[in-house]
C-alpha cells in the first residue's frame, strides 16, 4: 500500500476494524518513512462469471440498472432499488463463492423484485427466462398467485 503523502510502500497497520456491516475492513496505517497516518478500506472482491467466460467485479449499480428498466413507469423509488441491490449482493455473498455465475445474480434478483413490484417482476422474468409465448406469462402469473396466497397464509415468510 502506497502512502498517499510520500508514495512510500513502507507502512504498518495501527488499527483494524470491520466496516460496511462486516463486508469490509477499515485499516488505519502509519507510514514508516514520513510518519503520517492514512486509512485504507479492504473488501473481498466478488467476481461475476459472464456467459461469455469473462469475469468482472460484482456491481450493485449494474443490478440497479437492470431492475430499473423493468420498473420503468412503475411506482418504485430509488431507495427501494438500492435496497434490492443490497439484498442481491448479500444473497450472492452468502453463497461463500468468490466467483458467481451471472445467471445466479438473475435468480437472486427475482425473489426481492417479486416482493417489490409484480409487474416489474414479470417484465424482468420474461427477459431473464426468455419467455416466448403468452403461455409462459400465464404460467408465471399463476406462480405469482400461488406465492401471494402462500404469503397471505404465512405472512412471516414473505
Amino acid at each position: 500500500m502506497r502512502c498517499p503523502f510520500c508514495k512510500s510502500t513502507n507502512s504498518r497497520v495501527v488499527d483494524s476494524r470491520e466496516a460496511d456491516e462486516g463486508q469490509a475492513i477499515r485499516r488505519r496505517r502509519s507510514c514508516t518513512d514520513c510518519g503520517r497516518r492514512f486509512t485504507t478500506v479492504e473488501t473481498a472482491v466478488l467476481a461475476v462469471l459472464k456467459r461469455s467466460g469473462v469475469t468482472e467485479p460484482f456491481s450493485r449499480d449494474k443490478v440497479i440498472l437492470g431492475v430499473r428498466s423493468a420498473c420503468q413507469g412503475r411506482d418504485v423509488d430509488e431507495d427501494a432499488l438500492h435496497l434490492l441491490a443490497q439484498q442481491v449482493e448479500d444473497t450472492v455473498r452468502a453463497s461463500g463463492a468468490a466467483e458467481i455465475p451471472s445467471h445466479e445474480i438473475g435468480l437472486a434478483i427475482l425473489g426481492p423484485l417479486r416482493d417489490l413490484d409484480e409487474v416489474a417482476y414479470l417484465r424482468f422474468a420474461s427477459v431473464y427466462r426468455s419467455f416466448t409465448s403468452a403461455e409462459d406469462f400465464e404460467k408465471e402469473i399463476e406462480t405469482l398467485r400461488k406465492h401471494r396466497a402462500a404469503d397471505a397464509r404465512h405472512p412471516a415468510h414473505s
Side-chain angles (χ1 to χ4, degrees):
M1 183 60 55
R2 287 194 186 277
C3 171
F5 307 106
C6 72
K7 308 302 181 216
S8 169
T9 57
N10 301 317
S11 68
R12 64 183 183 84
V13 175
V14 177
D15 182 44
S16 293
R17 297 180 186 199
E18 278 190 8
D20 195 22
E21 298 177 8
Q23 298 299 317
I25 295 176
R26 180 186 162 279
R27 296 196 194 280
R28 192 75 178 133
R29 296 178 177 270
S30 177
C31 177
T32 54
D33 290 345
C34 73
R36 297 187 70 183
R37 290 185 171 198
F38 58 98
T39 301
T40 60
V41 178
E42 298 174 20
T43 57
V45 175
L46 178 62
V48 177
L49 179 61
K50 307 290 275 183
R51 288 184 189 130
S52 65
V54 174
T55 59
E56 65 181 45
F58 175 84
S59 167
R60 283 187 208 168
D61 290 337
K62 283 189 80 169
V63 171
I64 291 169
L65 225 67
V67 173
R68 184 181 289 132
S69 62
C71 293
Q72 195 167 3
R74 305 293 302 157
D75 188 23
V76 176
D77 67 13
E78 280 299 304
D79 288 343
L81 293 178
H82 285 274
L83 181 59
L84 183 139
Q86 178 65 54
Q87 290 173 307
V88 170
E89 182 174 1
D90 291 346
T91 299
V92 295
R93 283 195 184 276
S95 75
E99 195 172 87
I100 188 132
S102 58
H103 74 273
E104 294 288 330
I105 307 287
L107 287 175
I109 290 171
L110 288 173
L113 185 55
R114 179 187 59 224
D115 296 338
L116 180 64
D117 186 279
E118 289 180 345
V119 172
Y121 167 82
L122 283 171
R123 290 173 177 171
F124 187 88
S126 71
V127 173
Y128 178 73
R129 293 188 173 145
S130 304
F131 287 8
T132 57
S133 67
E135 288 79 24
D136 291 338
F137 279 95
E138 289 170 353
K139 287 178 194 169
E140 199 61 43
I141 291 168
E142 186 55 35
T143 302
L144 270 174
R145 287 184 177 131
K146 288 177 184 172
H147 177 78
R148 195 183 312 139
D151 282 352
R153 286 191 305 271
H154 308 288
H157 291 99
S158 61

